[in-house]
Amino acid sequence: MSKKTQPAESENTSFHFATGDTVSSIKKSINNHLSYTLARHPDKASRNEWWTATCLAVRDRLMNRFMQTQKAHHTGATRRAYYLSLEYLMGRVLSNNLHNAGIFDTTRDALKELGQDLDELLEEEDDMGLGNGGLGRLAACFLDSLATLDLPSVGYGIHYEFGLFRQKFENGHQIEHPDAWMLKGCPWEIMRPNFVQEIQLYGHVENRINDKGKLQPTWVNTKTLEGVPYDIPIVGYGGATVNFLRLWESRASKAFDLDTFNEGGYIEALRDKAMGETISKVLYPNDKTESGKELRLVQQYFFVSCSLKDIIRRFEAAHSDWAKFSEFNVVQLNDTHPAIAIPELMRLLIDDKGMDWDTAWGIVRETFNYTNHTLLPEALEKWSVPLFEKVLPRHLQIIFEINTRFLSHDVEDCWPGDGEKKAALSIIEESNPKMVRMAYLSVIASGKVNGVAALHTELLKRHLFADFHELYPEKIINMTNGITPRRWLLACNPGLAELINDTIGDEWPSDLDQLRALVTHADDKKFQDRFMAIKRANKVALAAIIRKSCGVEVSPDALFDVQIKRLHEYKRQHLNLLHILTLYRRLLNNPDLDVTPRVFIFGAKAAPGYDLAKNIIRAINKVAEKVNNDKRIGNKIKVVFPENYCVSLAEKIIPAADISEQISTAGKEASGTGNMKLALNGAVTVGTLDGANVEIGEEVGDDNIFIFGNKVDDVEAIYAKGYNPREYYDSNAELKAVVDWLRSDAFTPGESGAFEPLCRSLLDWGDPFLVMADYADYIRAQDEIGEAFRDKRRWAKMAIMNTACMGKFSSDRTIREYAEQIWKLSPVAVGRA
């Protein structure tokens, strides 16, 4: 071989070591990143540096597959789905990427040969601070499934410097601290300075003559910001397709005023820079103030404008015929946070591309689809017209024009001369001040609108969007939510995953319906014993975490009763609290009472401005403090509330759960996905017939779920009759006793009225979510659970049946339905890695 060809061979060898999946190639990659990226000798490297080097070695392999994926998409002139979401609750990434790429065991072996423990390194990773609750976690599951199913897609969001907040408890109070998740850097992201986008804000609109001699509204005197994209690779299970999540970071277009700086105005010189960076600083800034509301609106516009311009850039690189835009691009709005994308695309098409209204509107209605995530009218997003006029004056004009045309054509054609119907359906709410109803805008402009559970979708048609359903009877459809089994069983519960592999094979992570084969093993005593031994081992592991984080000793033989979800009144953590108080009071009255030992486990954050939710958190913490230190009850009940609930903590709690608390007021929860994760891992649900609980019950059967409480029709009848919570309080001695107990200073000695907001919400402020009305039946169900748990064979079968019957709730099934029924999207084969 000549010397001339020798470098090529060396380059190929280096490339192999950068992307190969053998133990030796991964070892070499990790060592190379330690030495040449981090400038650290292996003998001196910290555990965090080993973690970083490992992530970079894995990323190298994902980038190779990413390039192949993008080449396949570009070569085929591919139709793509773009998922717009203000949040993505990604959690930790390394473990998921290793499992999906098929190199988990190989990487573990490579690290072992390097003297490192993979499990210890996994604990070095901070959860990405990009999301808050179920909406963001759903978005993350969807990205996983889109890549697994080889569907061309891009997720768009915001590159938050700080997450929602890091939660601490002081004297039971929730205290919010900055979630500086980026402090140690993020080895997964790739900055894309070549794709920076520029956006405008504020200013005003003038009518100017365009190059065709016609008057055209022109947005002038605007402030300009830049959006800098960061990409995070999303690898599908099997490793063939690697899509990406693009996150926008805000920067001032004029970062530094040198003249002002030289004149001594050091702070003033950086003012624009600081203001520009504020937009992507924090997830969900507190909107109790006018400035907070304004920042939220600016955040939403910033990320959708950057995203749409990026989509248009990609389209124009391959096409010149705008009639084909919706042929190659489909956009999904994840709730109303990205709804401002609708007038923004209209503005871009009309003002920047010179289209007429009808052509632009046709493209918009063929491009957008909208997912609704709430049945609470008060949770539907609205913006005041004065604020809109200040921040986005041109967009407000466009919204008014959309509304005028909608009312004078669609509504008038359906209900001629009906002014009340026009007022009811108008995008503009005639209040003081006038409000822009973003959900209505989303329904009007979208090709399809979907609910996220069968009951939720039915209630959308019947109540929230009833008139829209009459107007557009084919528009609202159902897409029941799902979860990725890769993260929520394969990665987080390896013991159970191994048992399933041994029993039915290892193809279930990409075909969750295969779990149905476990039904035939549900009565098998040997299988039951193995299943419950894995559950107990998970409980032992969680007990150690509880001991370390909460300072409380809990028994793994007790029933682990879990409620982990965003803290909101409709999710009714306070109903759970009333049950705890009921058990506690019974034990104090009779210390010899034979009750099933329980550990009540909470995980939740309350929005910083949600005072009542924070009062509920403190009530749980103070009751826990009393219960856990009361020797009179002999450790029969314990209550723990680990700080800073997040995805990585959920991955430890869920495999250990025996009972899954899904106790929202019927008709209030859109779907829920925590219910699916817990059931998949063998927890038995106690819940109302709400959200996806209905469908879980249909799958697992009545014998394997505990249902209680008023149904949707009952709830509506109670509201219609005129609900008086004091009637329940006065007629139920046990309920009255525990509410009065909570109202006293028994749990906060010397601090009277500590939980007055909570108690008044139940008695004096209407108990809007029927806690008092459902209390008695909830206690009945909980008593049944206690008895059922004592029958170990019965409980083992129930747990197995829950795992076996969760096939429907894979996010792969959900995404297939989106692709087929809404997006009209086809897989693009990349070739298995």
Side-chain angles (χ1 to χ4, degrees), residues 563 567-581 602 612 616 620 663 742 758 761-762 767-771 778:
Q563 188 173 18
L567 203 304
H568 195 289
E569 290 167 85
Y570 85 83
K571 295 179 184 288
R572 300 202 296 190
Q573 284 91 345
H574 44 336
L575 177 58
N576 192 345
L577 176 61
L578 292 181
H579 173 233
I580 294 169
L581 288 169
F602 291 89
L612 182 51
I616 294 170
I620 295 169
I663 58 177
L742 189 60
L758 168 53
S761 76
L762 296 175
D767 183 24
F769 299 105
L770 304 190
V771 171
Y778 181 56

PDB file of all heavy atoms in Angstrom, residues 563 567-581 602 612 616 620 663 742 758 761-762 767-771 778:
ATOM      1  N   GLN A 563     -49.036   8.726  44.943  1.00  0.00           N
ATOM      2  CA  GLN A 563     -49.667   9.780  44.146  1.00  0.00           C
ATOM      3  C   GLN A 563     -48.580  10.762  43.726  1.00  0.00           C
ATOM      4  O   GLN A 563     -48.078  11.545  44.531  1.00  0.00           O
ATOM      5  CB  GLN A 563     -50.767  10.509  44.925  1.00  0.00           C
ATOM      6  CG  GLN A 563     -51.559  11.473  44.038  1.00  0.00           C
ATOM      7  CD  GLN A 563     -52.769  12.088  44.719  1.00  0.00           C
ATOM      8  OE1 GLN A 563     -52.869  12.088  45.947  1.00  0.00           O
ATOM      9  NE2 GLN A 563     -53.693  12.619  43.931  1.00  0.00           N
ATOM     10  N   LEU A 567     -49.274  19.315  41.369  1.00  0.00           N
ATOM     11  CA  LEU A 567     -50.213  19.619  42.447  1.00  0.00           C
ATOM     12  C   LEU A 567     -51.277  20.576  41.926  1.00  0.00           C
ATOM     13  O   LEU A 567     -50.995  21.717  41.563  1.00  0.00           O
ATOM     14  CB  LEU A 567     -49.460  20.245  43.638  1.00  0.00           C
ATOM     15  CG  LEU A 567     -50.096  20.145  45.030  1.00  0.00           C
ATOM     16  CD1 LEU A 567     -51.485  20.720  45.120  1.00  0.00           C
ATOM     17  CD2 LEU A 567     -50.083  18.708  45.539  1.00  0.00           C
ATOM     18  N   HIS A 568     -52.496  20.093  41.863  1.00  0.00           N
ATOM     19  CA  HIS A 568     -53.636  20.918  41.455  1.00  0.00           C
ATOM     20  C   HIS A 568     -54.865  20.418  42.190  1.00  0.00           C
ATOM     21  O   HIS A 568     -55.001  19.222  42.458  1.00  0.00           O
ATOM     22  CB  HIS A 568     -53.847  20.846  39.945  1.00  0.00           C
ATOM     23  CG  HIS A 568     -54.744  21.929  39.409  1.00  0.00           C
ATOM     24  ND1 HIS A 568     -56.108  21.956  39.646  1.00  0.00           N
ATOM     25  CD2 HIS A 568     -54.466  23.034  38.670  1.00  0.00           C
ATOM     26  CE1 HIS A 568     -56.638  23.025  39.058  1.00  0.00           C
ATOM     27  NE2 HIS A 568     -55.662  23.692  38.465  1.00  0.00           N
ATOM     28  N   GLU A 569     -55.775  21.331  42.490  1.00  0.00           N
ATOM     29  CA  GLU A 569     -56.980  20.952  43.224  1.00  0.00           C
ATOM     30  C   GLU A 569     -57.755  19.836  42.529  1.00  0.00           C
ATOM     31  O   GLU A 569     -58.289  18.939  43.193  1.00  0.00           O
ATOM     32  CB  GLU A 569     -57.893  22.161  43.401  1.00  0.00           C
ATOM     33  CG  GLU A 569     -57.371  23.224  44.353  1.00  0.00           C
ATOM     34  CD  GLU A 569     -58.176  24.500  44.224  1.00  0.00           C
ATOM     35  OE1 GLU A 569     -59.235  24.609  44.886  1.00  0.00           O
ATOM     36  OE2 GLU A 569     -57.752  25.372  43.430  1.00  0.00           O
ATOM     37  N   TYR A 570     -57.842  19.879  41.200  1.00  0.00           N
ATOM     38  CA  TYR A 570     -58.671  18.879  40.528  1.00  0.00           C
ATOM     39  C   TYR A 570     -58.049  17.485  40.584  1.00  0.00           C
ATOM     40  O   TYR A 570     -58.741  16.475  40.453  1.00  0.00           O
ATOM     41  CB  TYR A 570     -58.997  19.290  39.089  1.00  0.00           C
ATOM     42  CG  TYR A 570     -57.972  18.947  38.038  1.00  0.00           C
ATOM     43  CD1 TYR A 570     -57.933  17.690  37.455  1.00  0.00           C
ATOM     44  CD2 TYR A 570     -57.065  19.903  37.588  1.00  0.00           C
ATOM     45  CE1 TYR A 570     -57.000  17.386  36.471  1.00  0.00           C
ATOM     46  CE2 TYR A 570     -56.137  19.614  36.617  1.00  0.00           C
ATOM     47  CZ  TYR A 570     -56.105  18.349  36.059  1.00  0.00           C
ATOM     48  OH  TYR A 570     -55.175  18.051  35.093  1.00  0.00           O
ATOM     49  N   LYS A 571     -56.742  17.414  40.814  1.00  0.00           N
ATOM     50  CA  LYS A 571     -56.089  16.112  40.967  1.00  0.00           C
ATOM     51  C   LYS A 571     -56.290  15.557  42.376  1.00  0.00           C
ATOM     52  O   LYS A 571     -56.030  14.396  42.637  1.00  0.00           O
ATOM     53  CB  LYS A 571     -54.607  16.231  40.624  1.00  0.00           C
ATOM     54  CG  LYS A 571     -54.383  16.588  39.149  1.00  0.00           C
ATOM     55  CD  LYS A 571     -52.910  16.739  38.815  1.00  0.00           C
ATOM     56  CE  LYS A 571     -52.689  17.185  37.378  1.00  0.00           C
ATOM     57  NZ  LYS A 571     -52.972  16.141  36.387  1.00  0.00           N
ATOM     58  N   ARG A 572     -56.686  16.389  43.289  1.00  0.00           N
ATOM     59  CA  ARG A 572     -57.224  16.051  44.611  1.00  0.00           C
ATOM     60  C   ARG A 572     -56.241  15.320  45.528  1.00  0.00           C
ATOM     61  O   ARG A 572     -56.586  14.351  46.188  1.00  0.00           O
ATOM     62  CB  ARG A 572     -58.533  15.269  44.468  1.00  0.00           C
ATOM     63  CG  ARG A 572     -59.613  16.044  43.722  1.00  0.00           C
ATOM     64  CD  ARG A 572     -60.994  15.577  44.000  1.00  0.00           C
ATOM     65  NE  ARG A 572     -61.269  14.224  43.560  1.00  0.00           N
ATOM     66  CZ  ARG A 572     -62.475  13.667  43.537  1.00  0.00           C
ATOM     67  NH1 ARG A 572     -63.537  14.370  43.921  1.00  0.00           N
ATOM     68  NH2 ARG A 572     -62.668  12.425  43.130  1.00  0.00           N
ATOM     69  N   GLN A 573     -55.038  15.870  45.619  1.00  0.00           N
ATOM     70  CA  GLN A 573     -54.125  15.373  46.647  1.00  0.00           C
ATOM     71  C   GLN A 573     -54.719  15.587  48.043  1.00  0.00           C
ATOM     72  O   GLN A 573     -54.407  14.827  48.977  1.00  0.00           O
ATOM     73  CB  GLN A 573     -52.775  16.082  46.546  1.00  0.00           C
ATOM     74  CG  GLN A 573     -51.881  15.608  45.411  1.00  0.00           C
ATOM     75  CD  GLN A 573     -52.062  16.370  44.124  1.00  0.00           C
ATOM     76  OE1 GLN A 573     -53.042  17.101  43.950  1.00  0.00           O
ATOM     77  NE2 GLN A 573     -51.121  16.229  43.199  1.00  0.00           N
ATOM     78  N   HIS A 574     -55.608  16.577  48.192  1.00  0.00           N
ATOM     79  CA  HIS A 574     -56.208  16.821  49.513  1.00  0.00           C
ATOM     80  C   HIS A 574     -57.239  15.746  49.876  1.00  0.00           C
ATOM     81  O   HIS A 574     -57.501  15.520  51.062  1.00  0.00           O
ATOM     82  CB  HIS A 574     -56.789  18.222  49.630  1.00  0.00           C
ATOM     83  CG  HIS A 574     -57.595  18.727  48.479  1.00  0.00           C
ATOM     84  ND1 HIS A 574     -57.478  18.267  47.195  1.00  0.00           N
ATOM     85  CD2 HIS A 574     -58.556  19.692  48.423  1.00  0.00           C
ATOM     86  CE1 HIS A 574     -58.296  18.922  46.404  1.00  0.00           C
ATOM     87  NE2 HIS A 574     -58.970  19.783  47.123  1.00  0.00           N
ATOM     88  N   LEU A 575     -57.812  15.067  48.886  1.00  0.00           N
ATOM     89  CA  LEU A 575     -58.679  13.923  49.188  1.00  0.00           C
ATOM     90  C   LEU A 575     -57.834  12.771  49.758  1.00  0.00           C
ATOM     91  O   LEU A 575     -58.232  12.114  50.730  1.00  0.00           O
ATOM     92  CB  LEU A 575     -59.416  13.474  47.927  1.00  0.00           C
ATOM     93  CG  LEU A 575     -60.324  12.242  48.055  1.00  0.00           C
ATOM     94  CD1 LEU A 575     -61.396  12.435  49.118  1.00  0.00           C
ATOM     95  CD2 LEU A 575     -60.961  11.905  46.700  1.00  0.00           C
ATOM     96  N   ASN A 576     -56.694  12.542  49.174  1.00  0.00           N
ATOM     97  CA  ASN A 576     -55.747  11.558  49.690  1.00  0.00           C
ATOM     98  C   ASN A 576     -55.363  11.913  51.129  1.00  0.00           C
ATOM     99  O   ASN A 576     -55.314  11.043  52.021  1.00  0.00           O
ATOM    100  CB  ASN A 576     -54.508  11.535  48.788  1.00  0.00           C
ATOM    101  CG  ASN A 576     -53.573  10.362  49.040  1.00  0.00           C
ATOM    102  OD1 ASN A 576     -53.669   9.682  50.054  1.00  0.00           O
ATOM    103  ND2 ASN A 576     -52.650  10.158  48.118  1.00  0.00           N
ATOM    104  N   LEU A 577     -55.110  13.182  51.388  1.00  0.00           N
ATOM    105  CA  LEU A 577     -54.756  13.637  52.736  1.00  0.00           C
ATOM    106  C   LEU A 577     -55.873  13.340  53.734  1.00  0.00           C
ATOM    107  O   LEU A 577     -55.608  12.916  54.869  1.00  0.00           O
ATOM    108  CB  LEU A 577     -54.449  15.135  52.703  1.00  0.00           C
ATOM    109  CG  LEU A 577     -54.150  15.797  54.055  1.00  0.00           C
ATOM    110  CD1 LEU A 577     -52.923  15.183  54.712  1.00  0.00           C
ATOM    111  CD2 LEU A 577     -53.972  17.306  53.880  1.00  0.00           C
ATOM    112  N   LEU A 578     -57.118  13.541  53.324  1.00  0.00           N
ATOM    113  CA  LEU A 578     -58.229  13.243  54.224  1.00  0.00           C
ATOM    114  C   LEU A 578     -58.281  11.757  54.565  1.00  0.00           C
ATOM    115  O   LEU A 578     -58.643  11.371  55.686  1.00  0.00           O
ATOM    116  CB  LEU A 578     -59.555  13.699  53.609  1.00  0.00           C
ATOM    117  CG  LEU A 578     -59.755  15.213  53.458  1.00  0.00           C
ATOM    118  CD1 LEU A 578     -61.123  15.513  52.862  1.00  0.00           C
ATOM    119  CD2 LEU A 578     -59.578  15.947  54.782  1.00  0.00           C
ATOM    120  N   HIS A 579     -57.940  10.900  53.625  1.00  0.00           N
ATOM    121  CA  HIS A 579     -57.871   9.467  53.916  1.00  0.00           C
ATOM    122  C   HIS A 579     -56.767   9.165  54.929  1.00  0.00           C
ATOM    123  O   HIS A 579     -56.961   8.364  55.869  1.00  0.00           O
ATOM    124  CB  HIS A 579     -57.637   8.666  52.633  1.00  0.00           C
ATOM    125  CG  HIS A 579     -57.391   7.206  52.882  1.00  0.00           C
ATOM    126  ND1 HIS A 579     -56.292   6.545  52.380  1.00  0.00           N
ATOM    127  CD2 HIS A 579     -58.076   6.293  53.611  1.00  0.00           C
ATOM    128  CE1 HIS A 579     -56.323   5.289  52.765  1.00  0.00           C
ATOM    129  NE2 HIS A 579     -57.395   5.093  53.515  1.00  0.00           N
ATOM    130  N   ILE A 580     -55.609   9.785  54.755  1.00  0.00           N
ATOM    131  CA  ILE A 580     -54.516   9.595  55.714  1.00  0.00           C
ATOM    132  C   ILE A 580     -54.960  10.013  57.116  1.00  0.00           C
ATOM    133  O   ILE A 580     -54.728   9.287  58.104  1.00  0.00           O
ATOM    134  CB  ILE A 580     -53.275  10.406  55.277  1.00  0.00           C
ATOM    135  CG1 ILE A 580     -52.711   9.844  53.965  1.00  0.00           C
ATOM    136  CG2 ILE A 580     -52.204  10.395  56.369  1.00  0.00           C
ATOM    137  CD1 ILE A 580     -51.654  10.720  53.319  1.00  0.00           C
ATOM    138  N   LEU A 581     -55.610  11.159  57.217  1.00  0.00           N
ATOM    139  CA  LEU A 581     -56.093  11.631  58.517  1.00  0.00           C
ATOM    140  C   LEU A 581     -57.131  10.679  59.101  1.00  0.00           C
ATOM    141  O   LEU A 581     -57.177  10.457  60.322  1.00  0.00           O
ATOM    142  CB  LEU A 581     -56.686  13.034  58.371  1.00  0.00           C
ATOM    143  CG  LEU A 581     -55.665  14.158  58.135  1.00  0.00           C
ATOM    144  CD1 LEU A 581     -56.376  15.440  57.741  1.00  0.00           C
ATOM    145  CD2 LEU A 581     -54.810  14.380  59.375  1.00  0.00           C
ATOM    146  N   PHE A 602     -45.895  10.820  48.146  1.00  0.00           N
ATOM    147  CA  PHE A 602     -46.306  11.933  47.289  1.00  0.00           C
ATOM    148  C   PHE A 602     -45.107  12.442  46.501  1.00  0.00           C
ATOM    149  O   PHE A 602     -43.964  12.392  46.960  1.00  0.00           O
ATOM    150  CB  PHE A 602     -46.862  13.088  48.120  1.00  0.00           C
ATOM    151  CG  PHE A 602     -48.189  12.813  48.776  1.00  0.00           C
ATOM    152  CD1 PHE A 602     -48.247  12.242  50.041  1.00  0.00           C
ATOM    153  CD2 PHE A 602     -49.372  13.138  48.135  1.00  0.00           C
ATOM    154  CE1 PHE A 602     -49.465  11.986  50.656  1.00  0.00           C
ATOM    155  CE2 PHE A 602     -50.597  12.893  48.741  1.00  0.00           C
ATOM    156  CZ  PHE A 602     -50.641  12.317  50.004  1.00  0.00           C
ATOM    157  N   LEU A 612     -53.122  28.115  46.991  1.00  0.00           N
ATOM    158  CA  LEU A 612     -53.869  27.029  47.616  1.00  0.00           C
ATOM    159  C   LEU A 612     -53.150  25.696  47.431  1.00  0.00           C
ATOM    160  O   LEU A 612     -53.092  24.875  48.358  1.00  0.00           O
ATOM    161  CB  LEU A 612     -55.287  26.959  47.052  1.00  0.00           C
ATOM    162  CG  LEU A 612     -56.204  25.895  47.665  1.00  0.00           C
ATOM    163  CD1 LEU A 612     -56.225  25.970  49.185  1.00  0.00           C
ATOM    164  CD2 LEU A 612     -57.618  26.018  47.109  1.00  0.00           C
ATOM    165  N   ILE A 616     -51.790  23.073  50.330  1.00  0.00           N
ATOM    166  CA  ILE A 616     -52.006  21.620  50.381  1.00  0.00           C
ATOM    167  C   ILE A 616     -50.680  20.903  50.598  1.00  0.00           C
ATOM    168  O   ILE A 616     -50.593  19.946  51.394  1.00  0.00           O
ATOM    169  CB  ILE A 616     -52.703  21.130  49.099  1.00  0.00           C
ATOM    170  CG1 ILE A 616     -54.130  21.698  49.020  1.00  0.00           C
ATOM    171  CG2 ILE A 616     -52.736  19.603  49.043  1.00  0.00           C
ATOM    172  CD1 ILE A 616     -54.825  21.464  47.690  1.00  0.00           C
ATOM    173  N   ILE A 620     -49.804  18.404  53.799  1.00  0.00           N
ATOM    174  CA  ILE A 620     -49.308  17.029  53.699  1.00  0.00           C
ATOM    175  C   ILE A 620     -48.012  16.876  54.488  1.00  0.00           C
ATOM    176  O   ILE A 620     -47.818  15.906  55.241  1.00  0.00           O
ATOM    177  CB  ILE A 620     -49.112  16.628  52.221  1.00  0.00           C
ATOM    178  CG1 ILE A 620     -50.462  16.592  51.493  1.00  0.00           C
ATOM    179  CG2 ILE A 620     -48.415  15.272  52.120  1.00  0.00           C
ATOM    180  CD1 ILE A 620     -50.339  16.478  49.985  1.00  0.00           C
ATOM    181  N   ILE A 663     -57.172  10.038  41.220  1.00  0.00           N
ATOM    182  CA  ILE A 663     -58.406  10.331  41.942  1.00  0.00           C
ATOM    183  C   ILE A 663     -58.995  11.702  41.589  1.00  0.00           C
ATOM    184  O   ILE A 663     -59.691  12.313  42.395  1.00  0.00           O
ATOM    185  CB  ILE A 663     -58.178  10.206  43.460  1.00  0.00           C
ATOM    186  CG1 ILE A 663     -57.073  11.138  43.944  1.00  0.00           C
ATOM    187  CG2 ILE A 663     -57.817   8.760  43.809  1.00  0.00           C
ATOM    188  CD1 ILE A 663     -56.853  11.095  45.467  1.00  0.00           C
ATOM    189  N   LEU A 742     -57.888  19.091  60.967  1.00  0.00           N
ATOM    190  CA  LEU A 742     -56.968  19.805  60.084  1.00  0.00           C
ATOM    191  C   LEU A 742     -57.066  21.312  60.298  1.00  0.00           C
ATOM    192  O   LEU A 742     -56.071  22.045  60.185  1.00  0.00           O
ATOM    193  CB  LEU A 742     -57.281  19.454  58.624  1.00  0.00           C
ATOM    194  CG  LEU A 742     -56.298  19.920  57.549  1.00  0.00           C
ATOM    195  CD1 LEU A 742     -54.913  19.335  57.776  1.00  0.00           C
ATOM    196  CD2 LEU A 742     -56.816  19.543  56.160  1.00  0.00           C
ATOM    197  N   LEU A 758     -57.060  25.826  52.794  1.00  0.00           N
ATOM    198  CA  LEU A 758     -57.469  24.496  52.355  1.00  0.00           C
ATOM    199  C   LEU A 758     -58.856  24.158  52.899  1.00  0.00           C
ATOM    200  O   LEU A 758     -59.742  23.713  52.147  1.00  0.00           O
ATOM    201  CB  LEU A 758     -56.448  23.458  52.812  1.00  0.00           C
ATOM    202  CG  LEU A 758     -56.824  21.978  52.693  1.00  0.00           C
ATOM    203  CD1 LEU A 758     -57.274  21.633  51.282  1.00  0.00           C
ATOM    204  CD2 LEU A 758     -55.667  21.097  53.123  1.00  0.00           C
ATOM    205  N   SER A 761     -61.596  26.205  51.362  1.00  0.00           N
ATOM    206  CA  SER A 761     -61.894  25.780  49.985  1.00  0.00           C
ATOM    207  C   SER A 761     -62.876  24.621  49.988  1.00  0.00           C
ATOM    208  O   SER A 761     -63.707  24.499  49.084  1.00  0.00           O
ATOM    209  CB  SER A 761     -60.609  25.398  49.249  1.00  0.00           C
ATOM    210  OG  SER A 761     -60.129  24.128  49.661  1.00  0.00           O
ATOM    211  N   LEU A 762     -62.788  23.762  51.011  1.00  0.00           N
ATOM    212  CA  LEU A 762     -63.675  22.603  51.104  1.00  0.00           C
ATOM    213  C   LEU A 762     -65.063  22.970  51.622  1.00  0.00           C
ATOM    214  O   LEU A 762     -66.063  22.373  51.203  1.00  0.00           O
ATOM    215  CB  LEU A 762     -63.050  21.546  52.023  1.00  0.00           C
ATOM    216  CG  LEU A 762     -61.730  20.932  51.550  1.00  0.00           C
ATOM    217  CD1 LEU A 762     -61.170  19.995  52.623  1.00  0.00           C
ATOM    218  CD2 LEU A 762     -61.903  20.191  50.239  1.00  0.00           C
ATOM    219  N   ASP A 767     -65.989  24.040  47.382  1.00  0.00           N
ATOM    220  CA  ASP A 767     -65.394  22.730  47.090  1.00  0.00           C
ATOM    221  C   ASP A 767     -65.560  22.394  45.604  1.00  0.00           C
ATOM    222  O   ASP A 767     -66.261  21.449  45.223  1.00  0.00           O
ATOM    223  CB  ASP A 767     -66.059  21.646  47.960  1.00  0.00           C
ATOM    224  CG  ASP A 767     -65.435  20.262  47.772  1.00  0.00           C
ATOM    225  OD1 ASP A 767     -64.275  20.179  47.360  1.00  0.00           O
ATOM    226  OD2 ASP A 767     -66.143  19.267  48.039  1.00  0.00           O
ATOM    227  N   PRO A 768     -64.923  23.172  44.733  1.00  0.00           N
ATOM    228  CA  PRO A 768     -65.222  23.072  43.299  1.00  0.00           C
ATOM    229  C   PRO A 768     -64.943  21.713  42.677  1.00  0.00           C
ATOM    230  O   PRO A 768     -65.481  21.401  41.609  1.00  0.00           O
ATOM    231  CB  PRO A 768     -64.319  24.154  42.675  1.00  0.00           C
ATOM    232  CG  PRO A 768     -63.242  24.389  43.690  1.00  0.00           C
ATOM    233  CD  PRO A 768     -63.883  24.174  45.019  1.00  0.00           C
ATOM    234  N   PHE A 769     -64.144  20.873  43.331  1.00  0.00           N
ATOM    235  CA  PHE A 769     -63.800  19.589  42.741  1.00  0.00           C
ATOM    236  C   PHE A 769     -64.350  18.409  43.546  1.00  0.00           C
ATOM    237  O   PHE A 769     -63.850  17.290  43.452  1.00  0.00           O
ATOM    238  CB  PHE A 769     -62.284  19.497  42.539  1.00  0.00           C
ATOM    239  CG  PHE A 769     -61.786  20.570  41.596  1.00  0.00           C
ATOM    240  CD1 PHE A 769     -61.107  21.677  42.086  1.00  0.00           C
ATOM    241  CD2 PHE A 769     -62.061  20.502  40.247  1.00  0.00           C
ATOM    242  CE1 PHE A 769     -60.683  22.683  41.228  1.00  0.00           C
ATOM    243  CE2 PHE A 769     -61.633  21.496  39.378  1.00  0.00           C
ATOM    244  CZ  PHE A 769     -60.952  22.596  39.866  1.00  0.00           C
ATOM    245  N   LEU A 770     -65.395  18.669  44.341  1.00  0.00           N
ATOM    246  CA  LEU A 770     -66.234  17.634  44.969  1.00  0.00           C
ATOM    247  C   LEU A 770     -65.449  16.664  45.857  1.00  0.00           C
ATOM    248  O   LEU A 770     -65.758  15.467  45.905  1.00  0.00           O
ATOM    249  CB  LEU A 770     -66.993  16.846  43.889  1.00  0.00           C
ATOM    250  CG  LEU A 770     -67.861  17.645  42.916  1.00  0.00           C
ATOM    251  CD1 LEU A 770     -68.713  16.695  42.088  1.00  0.00           C
ATOM    252  CD2 LEU A 770     -68.733  18.663  43.623  1.00  0.00           C
ATOM    253  N   VAL A 771     -64.495  17.173  46.576  1.00  0.00           N
ATOM    254  CA  VAL A 771     -63.764  16.337  47.536  1.00  0.00           C
ATOM    255  C   VAL A 771     -64.711  15.780  48.587  1.00  0.00           C
ATOM    256  O   VAL A 771     -64.687  14.582  48.907  1.00  0.00           O
ATOM    257  CB  VAL A 771     -62.629  17.147  48.196  1.00  0.00           C
ATOM    258  CG1 VAL A 771     -62.004  16.371  49.356  1.00  0.00           C
ATOM    259  CG2 VAL A 771     -61.567  17.514  47.170  1.00  0.00           C
ATOM    260  N   TYR A 778     -64.554   7.046  48.517  1.00  0.00           N
ATOM    261  CA  TYR A 778     -63.093   6.890  48.464  1.00  0.00           C
ATOM    262  C   TYR A 778     -62.601   6.072  49.666  1.00  0.00           C
ATOM    263  O   TYR A 778     -61.786   5.160  49.505  1.00  0.00           O
ATOM    264  CB  TYR A 778     -62.446   8.272  48.447  1.00  0.00           C
ATOM    265  CG  TYR A 778     -60.934   8.281  48.378  1.00  0.00           C
ATOM    266  CD1 TYR A 778     -60.246   7.636  47.358  1.00  0.00           C
ATOM    267  CD2 TYR A 778     -60.186   8.975  49.330  1.00  0.00           C
ATOM    268  CE1 TYR A 778     -58.858   7.672  47.290  1.00  0.00           C
ATOM    269  CE2 TYR A 778     -58.795   9.021  49.273  1.00  0.00           C
ATOM    270  CZ  TYR A 778     -58.147   8.368  48.255  1.00  0.00           C
ATOM    271  OH  TYR A 778     -56.770   8.409  48.186  1.00  0.00           O
TER     272      TYR A 778
END
